[in-house]
Amino acid sequence: MASHRRPKHPARARVTVLTATAAAAVALSSHSAVAAPDKPNKDEVKTKVDTLYEEAEQATEKFNGAKERQEKLEKEIAQLQDQVARGQDELNTLRTTLGSMATAQYRGGGFDQSVELFLSADPETYLDKAATLQQLSGKQVDAIGKIQAKQRTLAQQRQEASGKLADLDATRKELSEKKKASQDKLAEAQALLNTLTAQERRQLKDEDAKAGEAARGEGERTPAAPPANASGRAAAALAAAKTKLGSAYISGAEGPSAFDCSGLVQWAYKQAGVSVTRTTYTQANEGTRISRSQLQPGDLVFFYGDLHHVGLYAGNNTTLHASNPRGGVKYESIDNMPFQFGVRI
């Protein structure tokens, strides 16, 4: 029997194949457009990197604060543990003294059974019983009173040390978290910079260098002798900071070869014989707050609403500061950042 199936038209088959191919190409093109957005240009990368640097510095200053608290707690705990150890020795001596009294009393035939209670494995049970104390001699009462006082002191010191150890544990966890947050932001910034071509990175570096030299020219125009009413130690701190121009910026660094912003301020004032705290948040309360019009060389200048950045005023509208990993320690116009207030140490 003859087949009635119609033969397939070659032209129609080719149209179907071409249509499917075109649709696939459109789909692939659309997918590629979503998966591979336009690469950010040099200026966009710079803006994003600067934002990441600010976020990293916020985490860094919180890291610095946690580190300072950790060091303080460690010192306090060490002192308390030393006090507890010495107190325990004193308590043992007092108990030995009381035991000697009891021995002497026993040999004399007048050993009081109540003293035996104090020398038992759990003498604390009886120390607060007035009826028992009334049965003892004056010297014994005095010795037991000292034991009581020493036991209470030791209990308080041990409780305080226990609380500080818990605080220390929490502080160490915060320290680790803030350090990781800062490192993550810096790594993200570096990854963005790595997307630039070698030529773009050179251009960015040249732009930063030109801006830095212009600001340095303004800062270096500051008179060698500060105004008569300027702080001598502020001028000395600024002079010390100038010796670190070009030094690297490293989160958490306090010098002498690398710094973060508050680390540079602390180091510079230390060279001037002045001790200041470690973070921007505490440095903001170190001295007298002043307005922009009152600034003199060496005064601290704070930036951003949360005060996460600080520098030293260098005169002529410039600050000398540990800027960021790209710029290091350099001069910069204070108009480049949102100025908040100055502080005179």
Side-chain angles (χ1 to χ4, degrees):
M1 184 190 311
S3 174
H4 297 286
R5 183 179 298 168
R6 293 182 179 181
K8 188 179 289 184
H9 294 285
R12 184 179 296 173
R14 284 198 298 272
V15 169
T16 302
V17 171
L18 289 172
T19 302
T21 303
V26 169
L28 285 171
S29 175
S30 175
H31 176 74
S32 298
V34 173
D38 291 338
K39 175 186 170 184
N41 62 36
K42 173 174 63 67
D43 292 335
E44 290 172 336
V45 167
K46 182 180 183 301
T47 298
K48 290 179 181 178
V49 166
D50 286 344
T51 298
L52 287 167
Y53 281 159
E54 287 176 28
E55 292 171 353
E57 191 165 48
Q58 288 173 319
T60 292
E61 287 306 310
K62 290 175 182 176
F63 165 84
N64 291 337
K67 184 178 179 184
E68 193 172 44
R69 286 197 302 277
Q70 174 184 274
E71 291 170 352
K72 182 181 178 183
L73 282 168
E74 286 173 343
K75 288 179 181 177
E76 290 174 350
I77 289 169
Q79 290 173 349
L80 278 170
Q81 289 174 334
D82 183 60
Q83 289 173 2
V84 167
R86 285 188 283 108
Q88 187 62 55
D89 287 342
E90 292 171 6
L91 180 60
N92 293 340
T93 300
L94 288 169
R95 283 176 170 165
T96 299
T97 300
L98 182 60
S100 298
M101 291 181 190
T103 300
Q105 193 174 27
Y106 175 78
R107 287 173 178 169
F111 183 69
D112 195 322
Q113 293 297 315
S114 59
V115 175
E116 186 176 3
L117 297 177
F118 291 112
L119 300 176
S120 66
D122 187 22
E124 288 82 0
T125 305
Y126 306 97
L127 288 175
D128 292 322
K129 293 184 178 181
T132 302
L133 290 175
Q134 290 174 358
Q135 301 174 31
L136 304 177
S137 68
K139 287 184 177 180
Q140 289 169 338
V141 169
D142 183 58
I144 290 171
K146 289 179 180 178
I147 290 175
Q148 263 188 315
K150 183 57 64 177
Q151 285 174 329
R152 288 177 183 140
T153 299
L154 282 173
Q156 290 172 354
Q157 288 173 337
R158 286 186 174 118
Q159 185 175 9
E160 186 179 355
S162 178
K164 287 186 183 296
L165 283 167
D167 290 344
L168 180 59
D169 183 56
T171 299
R172 282 174 173 162
K173 289 178 181 176
E174 181 186 358
L175 195 65
S176 177
E177 290 169 359
K178 299 307 178 186
K179 183 176 183 179
K180 184 178 184 303
S182 177
Q183 289 175 336
D184 287 349
K185 293 295 182 182
L186 292 174
E188 188 178 349
Q190 188 58 52
L192 270 172
L193 288 171
N194 290 342
T195 65
L196 298 177
T197 65
Q199 182 180 358
E200 287 174 326
R201 287 196 293 271
R202 282 195 300 272
Q203 289 174 345
L204 193 58
K205 186 175 181 180
D206 289 344
E207 290 170 6
D208 287 344
K210 287 179 182 178
E213 283 303 312
R216 179 171 184 166
E218 289 299 310
E220 294 294 352
R221 287 198 300 109
T222 304
N229 60 339
S231 165
R233 53 192 181 181
L238 177 60
K242 286 181 179 180
T243 67
K244 296 302 176 180
L245 275 168
S247 295
Y249 176 102
I250 296 178
S251 295
E254 304 173 342
S257 58
F259 305 87
D260 60 22
C261 68
S262 55
L264 177 64
V265 166
Q266 185 186 55
W267 180 87
Y269 267 88
K270 185 177 181 180
Q271 310 316 301
V274 182
S275 176
V276 298
T277 52
R278 181 63 181 87
T279 73
T280 58
Y281 311 117
T282 53
Q283 288 173 357
N285 299 313
E286 289 283 342
T288 304
R289 293 194 180 187
I290 54 178
S291 67
R292 182 165 175 167
S293 63
Q294 296 173 299
L295 289 173
Q296 294 175 358
D299 288 336
L300 307 191
V301 280
F302 290 86
F303 302 93
Y304 302 98
D306 65 351
L307 309 179
H308 70 260
H309 192 73
V310 65
L312 294 161
Y313 185 63
N316 299 317
N317 202 43
T318 62
T319 179
L320 178 58
H321 66 145
S323 58
N324 55 49
R326 194 175 67 243
V329 178
K330 66 175 186 177
Y331 285 101
E332 188 166 357
S333 169
I334 63 174
D335 292 326
N336 289 355
M337 296 170 284
F339 174 81
Q340 300 301 308
F341 54 80
V343 166
R344 183 159 299 149
I345 301 296

